Amino acid sequence: MRVELLTIGDELLLGDTVNGNAAWMGRRLADHGIEVTRSVVVGDELDVIISAVDEALGRADAVITTGGLGPTYDDLTRDALAKAAGVALIRDPVLEKRLRARVAAANRPLAPMALRMAEVPEGAGLLGNSAGSAPGLRVELPGGVAYALPGVPFEMRTIMNEIVIPELVERAGRPQVARRTLRTAGAWESVIATRLAEVEALDGVRLAYLPSPGEVKIRITASGPDAARRLDGAEALARDLLGTMVYGTEDESLATVVHRLLIERSRTVAAAESLTGGLIGTDLTAAPGASETYVGGVIAYATEMKNRLLGVPEELLRAHGAVHPDVAAAMAAGVRDRLGASYGIGVTGVAGPEPQDGHPVGTVYISVAGPGSEPRVISPLLIVPGAGAEVREVVRRLTVVHALELLRRDILGLDAEHGAREAEEDREERG
Amino acid sequence: MRVELLTIGDELLLGDTVNGNAAWMGRRLADHGIEVTRSVVVGDELDVIISAVDEALGRADAVITTGGLGPTYDDLTRDALAKAAGVALIRDPVLEKRLRARVAAANRPLAPMALRMAEVPEGAGLLGNSAGSAPGLRVELPGGVAYALPGVPFEMRTIMNEIVIPELVERAGRPQVARRTLRTAGAWESVIATRLAEVEALDGVRLAYLPSPGEVKIRITASGPDAARRLDGAEALARDLLGTMVYGTEDESLATVVHRLLIERSRTVAAAESLTGGLIGTDLTAAPGASETYVGGVIAYATEMKNRLLGVPEELLRAHGAVHPDVAAAMAAGVRDRLGASYGIGVTGVAGPEPQDGHPVGTVYISVAGPGSEPRVISPLLIVPGAGAEVREVVRRLTVVHALELLRRDILGLDAEHGAREAEEDREERG
């Protein structure tokens, strides 16, 4: 079953928005064993949309469009699909009634233009959209089926999950592909790939490495009639070879995993930040239920704040400045004790673009102080290609990942040195 | 001058990465008056890449590919362009020498596969890539010119800025399009669009509205031989009609503008956060030089921390819970005084997905305490469609935007009520 995506909208060609919808759709379809063979973006032009739909169905079995279902003059998807199917656009009385009722309930006048959202290519199926104004459409065309979805992400995902994916899975028959993603932090792609050579060699199994700052996701893809069984075998072998490098699977973030480990042990955490500016707190509070594990934090951005808010000794700051392993340790213990948490995180370093106190950009010290324990400190030297504000962003993100990974290893009673060893290999790798 | 983008890589179809490169390229080309007419993503398949290049040049004057220039077996762009041009792939001795030297300097063995990066379609131009390993390519084909760039964002942007865009601008002649973007916060799209009706009516001028949580960007596009002059006139009229709603232009974020306003006045800010978890601090520390204006912050996530870290009176918390305008005000004044900043920001509210203390999701109180002033509090009721973790994310982001906008208005001595008035209209709009 081959599917193409067609995203419609000038704003995408102009780079006003990044095509997050297409990425989400590609991922969800792949999860269900359906291959996206091409993804195209066109602007709001009727003839271009029509020919893009026709071309797609010349190559694939189905095309899924997003965008162009709103009420304004540049919303052309309904028109395009009607023309492609050689049918008329007709006003659907049920849709019109619902639209009028919705607008009346909001106490607003009905702009005549809005009634375009009650028009439907004759014979098209309506894909119920309780979340928004315009329904999705299913239009059968000579070359295959076209699904038209709203561009609003939440509405698109609802219709994909509830209607389109189940239909496509039904049409496709039994999936011949099974996938799983393992997530690692603090280890380098080359180290992981070297360890996984045995898995790469397995029949019917492919590995893809997806690095992001401080993390590497490993996607295992197994194919063939016994794909599920092969996948289980490959995953077991990969986990055996990688050991504690693996922190989670699929989409569970490092922060989510840390949250779960803390809840299981009835522990809490507080974070003292500086260069990270609040990123650690943001990550630890992103998910619902965070209040059970994250009690709060301090962003001691100015050097003096490290003493004022966390009790880092003035002599230490005077002697060494803010960028020093003992400062990180004092921050971790300070925030743990002052906020009454089980664990404290402390980070200090140089995000750039300028060096600080003679320390090069990428010098960071990361500390975790556990319950009744002395803080542990790591210092991964973060060498980041690029310039200016980009480097700053990556150094900050890397610091967050290393901090959360150190906390995870602390909770699990694991060696913190893994991070330091990786830093050594990192220096070697980058020559 | 019509240009198409061709992004090559399985990982993009599988949704492992979002196509940030294409968005960036579309934006940069548009800035220079060059229209991207289509953007296509294909996988790592030789025949598909070749036909996609040919199709693109059947429609447009130039195609810019990214990806597929690495050393591994799935890097097929060099092969595809050589075949499309009907020429051989030849080993370039200068490239080979440079590659061998680079690998030797990093003290690594040379994997034979890496020498593929020294291969070049015969007759192709090399687009110098000092940042990475493989050069970009320029290949003249029957239908037009193909540029092949690395997929690594920093490398791609360097070659685009230094070589490809100047060449395309040269080929295109004088741009017939001029653009400018105005940025507003705290006002609704419909309010802005209503005010700008006069600008919409101008000849040769088009407006596009680009909303994001709490903000609306207005892109003004003027076309024709006198595009620049029309643009200036349209911008002046728009600014006159929008007044203080406009906080900046192009890519300058609200946080950047606040930073600039504080520096100009030698003022500082500290932020007391809760539901935002560190997002305000993250924004205020994103840009270099932040330490001149942002002294630090406190994330008083647990209710008790609001008293312990910020001095919010216990009786107040006991009587009303954490979600109350007086709590926000006490947080703002508390963080201002305890961290010794000119301005304090305080926020408290319910991000969801569950209501809290009887307050519905989206109830937020945002306060700014200025130098020697009583805190001002606003309470924009944030109604967000969707469910679960998404709502949480949007409520947090909206809170940050409203907080920074309130601070901006405070610094400029503007009415804070603009926000409250918008909340009224918001309630009306959403029925």
Side-chain angles (χ1 to χ4, degrees):
Chain A
M1 175 102 218
R2 295 155 68 89
V3 171
E4 292 199 7
L5 305 181
L6 180 61
T7 313
I8 299 162
D10 284 348
E11 70 280 7
L12 284 139
L13 291 178
L14 289 165
D16 293 325
T17 30
V18 181
N19 201 351
N21 280 344
W24 185 91
M25 293 167 84
R27 163 78 76 85
R28 288 289 289 147
L29 289 162
D31 286 346
H32 290 275
I34 294 165
E35 196 186 351
V36 171
T37 47
R38 187 177 297 213
S39 177
V40 178
V41 179
V42 296
D44 302 304
E45 264 184 85
L46 187 62
D47 293 339
V48 174
I49 299 171
I50 296 171
S51 54
V53 168
D54 285 340
E55 289 161 25
L57 293 178
R59 292 180 296 250
D61 308 301
V63 62
I64 307 174
T65 75
T66 43
L69 291 182
T72 60
Y73 73 95
D74 53 0
D75 289 298
L76 299 163
T77 302
R78 282 171 298 256
D79 306 72
L81 290 179
K83 286 197 158 55
V87 302
L89 265 183
I90 57 172
R91 178 77 61 84
D92 181 302
V94 173
L95 280 186
E96 176 172 353
K97 191 169 168 185
R98 198 186 304 168
L99 204 64
R100 288 187 182 277
R102 182 185 278 260
V103 167
N107 237 350
R108 308 195 73 82
L110 178 68
M113 178 181 278
L115 288 172
R116 295 190 64 217
M117 292 195 290
E119 290 173 358
V120 173
E122 193 164 10
L126 300 186
L127 313 179
N129 184 8
S130 50
S133 307
L137 303 170
R138 180 200 308 101
V139 179
E140 300 281 353
L141 292 167
V145 60
Y147 291 97
L149 304 183
V152 176
F154 179 66
E155 298 178 23
M156 177 276 292
R157 292 195 290 253
T158 305
I159 300 177
M160 281 289 287
N161 285 331
E162 293 181 0
I163 301 174
V164 179
I165 286 180
E167 283 191 23
L168 288 174
V169 167
E170 178 91 31
R171 284 184 192 239
R174 194 157 140 266
Q176 297 283 301
V177 167
R179 283 188 180 80
R180 188 146 312 133
T181 298
L182 300 181
R183 301 176 70 106
T184 70
W188 297 106
E189 195 177 334
S190 55
V191 172
I192 292 169
T194 305
R195 286 202 187 193
L196 293 182
E198 256 185 86
V199 182
E200 299 255 18
L202 293 173
D203 258 344
V205 169
R206 266 190 359 257
L207 295 182
Y209 300 92
L210 307 163
S212 61
E215 305 197 32
V216 180
K217 291 190 294 190
I218 303 131
R219 193 184 55 243
I220 309 171
T221 306
S223 45
D226 55 348
R229 188 189 58 74
R230 285 179 201 255
L231 180 64
D232 288 342
E235 180 188 356
L237 179 58
R239 283 182 175 275
D240 192 53
L241 295 168
L242 293 177
T244 58
M245 284 184 194
V246 176
Y247 74 78
T249 59
E250 303 311 324
D251 288 327
E252 54 179 349
S253 66
L254 195 41
T256 306
V257 169
V258 158
H259 169 75
R260 181 167 43 80
L261 294 175
L262 288 169
I263 284 222
E264 286 168 359
R265 293 156 177 74
S266 301
R267 301 288 204 191
T268 57
V269 63
E273 311 196 39
S274 55
L275 74 159
T276 45
L279 276 169
I280 297 177
T282 298
D283 270 18
L284 288 173
T285 58
S291 55
E292 295 192 61
T293 55
Y294 177 79
V295 302
V298 165
I299 307 167
Y301 204 67
T303 297
E304 189 218 347
M305 294 300 141
K306 293 169 174 70
N307 166 256
R308 191 192 293 206
L309 300 176
L310 297 163
V312 175
E314 281 192 80
E315 319 81 67
L316 176 54
L317 293 169
R318 252 198 314 270
H320 296 289
V323 182
H324 192 273
D326 294 351
V327 173
M331 289 171 73
V335 77
R336 175 194 62 190
D337 299 339
R338 289 182 176 215
L339 272 64
S342 319
Y343 290 87
I345 297 173
V347 301
T348 182
V350 185
E354 300 302 312
Q356 186 179 322
D357 302 337
H359 301 283
V361 172
T363 309
V364 293
Y365 297 102
I366 295 162
S367 179
V368 167
S373 302
E374 285 306 299
R376 297 203 288 185
V377 183
I378 60 170
S379 58
L381 183 58
L382 309 176
I383 301 175
V384 175
E390 281 185 47
V391 171
R392 191 176 169 80
E393 216 34 59
V394 175
V395 171
R396 288 176 7 132
R397 173 51 42 194
L398 275 168
T399 303
V400 174
V401 173
H402 280 282
L404 294 179
E405 173 64 359
L406 182 62
L407 175 59
R408 181 186 80 95
R409 301 184 75 86
D410 225 67
I411 296 170
L412 293 175
L414 298 173
D415 191 6
E417 288 300 327
H418 186 78
R421 245 200 308 271
E422 299 305 344
E424 280 306 310
E425 296 178 45
D426 174 38
R427 286 188 201 100
E428 291 169 23
E429 256 200 50
R430 294 171 192 278
Chain B
M1 175 102 219
R2 296 154 67 88
V3 172
E4 292 199 8
L5 304 182
L6 180 62
T7 313
I8 298 161
D10 284 348
E11 70 278 7
L12 284 139
L13 292 178
L14 289 165
D16 291 327
T17 28
V18 181
N19 200 351
N21 279 345
W24 184 92
M25 293 166 85
R27 164 79 76 83
R28 288 290 289 147
L29 289 161
D31 287 345
H32 290 274
I34 293 166
E35 198 187 349
V36 171
T37 47
R38 187 176 297 213
S39 178
V40 178
V41 180
V42 296
D44 301 304
E45 264 184 84
L46 188 62
D47 294 338
V48 173
I49 299 171
I50 295 171
S51 54
V53 169
D54 286 340
E55 291 160 23
L57 292 179
R59 293 180 296 249
D61 308 299
V63 62
I64 307 175
T65 76
T66 43
L69 291 182
T72 59
Y73 72 95
D74 55 0
D75 288 298
L76 300 163
T77 301
R78 282 171 298 257
D79 306 72
L81 290 180
K83 286 194 159 53
V87 301
L89 267 183
I90 58 172
R91 179 77 62 83
D92 182 302
V94 173
L95 279 185
E96 176 173 352
K97 192 168 166 186
R98 197 187 304 168
L99 203 63
R100 288 188 182 276
R102 182 186 277 261
V103 166
N107 235 349
R108 309 194 74 85
L110 177 68
M113 178 181 279
L115 287 172
R116 296 188 64 217
M117 293 195 288
E119 289 173 358
V120 172
E122 191 163 9
L126 301 186
L127 313 178
N129 184 9
S130 48
S133 305
L137 302 169
R138 180 200 308 100
V139 179
E140 300 282 352
L141 292 166
V145 59
Y147 291 96
L149 303 183
V152 176
F154 180 65
E155 297 178 24
M156 177 276 291
R157 291 196 290 254
T158 304
I159 300 176
M160 280 289 287
N161 285 331
E162 293 182 0
I163 301 174
V164 179
I165 286 179
E167 282 191 22
L168 289 174
V169 166
E170 178 92 30
R171 282 182 193 240
R174 197 157 137 263
Q176 298 282 301
V177 166
R179 283 188 179 81
R180 188 147 311 132
T181 299
L182 300 181
R183 302 176 70 108
T184 70
W188 297 105
E189 195 176 335
S190 55
V191 173
I192 293 170
T194 305
R195 286 203 188 194
L196 293 182
E198 254 186 87
V199 182
E200 299 254 20
L202 293 174
D203 258 345
V205 169
R206 267 190 358 257
L207 296 182
Y209 299 92
L210 307 163
S212 60
E215 304 197 35
V216 180
K217 293 191 292 189
I218 303 131
R219 193 185 54 242
I220 310 172
T221 306
S223 45
D226 54 347
R229 188 189 57 76
R230 287 179 199 254
L231 180 65
D232 287 344
E235 181 187 358
L237 179 58
R239 283 180 175 276
D240 193 52
L241 295 167
L242 293 177
T244 58
M245 283 183 196
V246 177
Y247 74 78
T249 60
E250 304 310 325
D251 287 327
E252 54 179 351
S253 67
L254 195 41
T256 305
V257 169
V258 158
H259 169 75
R260 182 167 42 80
L261 293 175
L262 288 169
I263 285 222
E264 285 168 359
R265 294 156 176 75
S266 301
R267 301 287 204 190
T268 57
V269 62
E273 310 196 41
S274 56
L275 75 158
T276 44
L279 276 170
I280 298 176
T282 298
D283 270 17
L284 288 174
T285 58
S291 56
E292 295 192 61
T293 55
Y294 176 79
V295 303
V298 165
I299 306 167
Y301 204 67
T303 298
E304 189 217 347
M305 293 302 142
K306 294 169 174 70
N307 166 256
R308 190 192 295 205
L309 302 177
L310 297 163
V312 176
E314 281 193 80
E315 319 83 67
L316 176 55
L317 293 169
R318 252 198 314 270
H320 298 289
V323 182
H324 191 274
D326 294 351
V327 173
M331 289 171 73
V335 79
R336 175 194 61 190
D337 299 339
R338 288 184 178 215
L339 273 64
S342 320
Y343 290 87
I345 297 173
V347 302
T348 183
V350 186
E354 299 302 311
Q356 187 179 321
D357 302 337
H359 301 284
V361 172
T363 309
V364 294
Y365 298 102
I366 296 162
S367 179
V368 167
S373 303
E374 284 307 298
R376 298 204 287 184
V377 183
I378 61 170
S379 57
L381 184 59
L382 309 177
I383 300 177
V384 175
E390 285 186 44
V391 170
R392 191 176 169 79
E393 217 31 62
V394 175
V395 171
R396 287 173 11 130
R397 173 51 41 195
L398 275 168
T399 303
V400 174
V401 173
H402 280 282
L404 294 179
E405 173 64 358
L406 182 61
L407 174 60
R408 182 185 79 95
R409 300 184 74 87
D410 225 68
I411 297 170
L412 293 174
L414 297 174
D415 191 8
E417 288 301 326
H418 185 77
R421 244 202 309 272
E422 298 305 345
E424 280 307 310
E425 296 179 45
D426 174 39
R427 288 189 200 97
E428 289 169 26
E429 258 201 48
R430 293 168 193 280

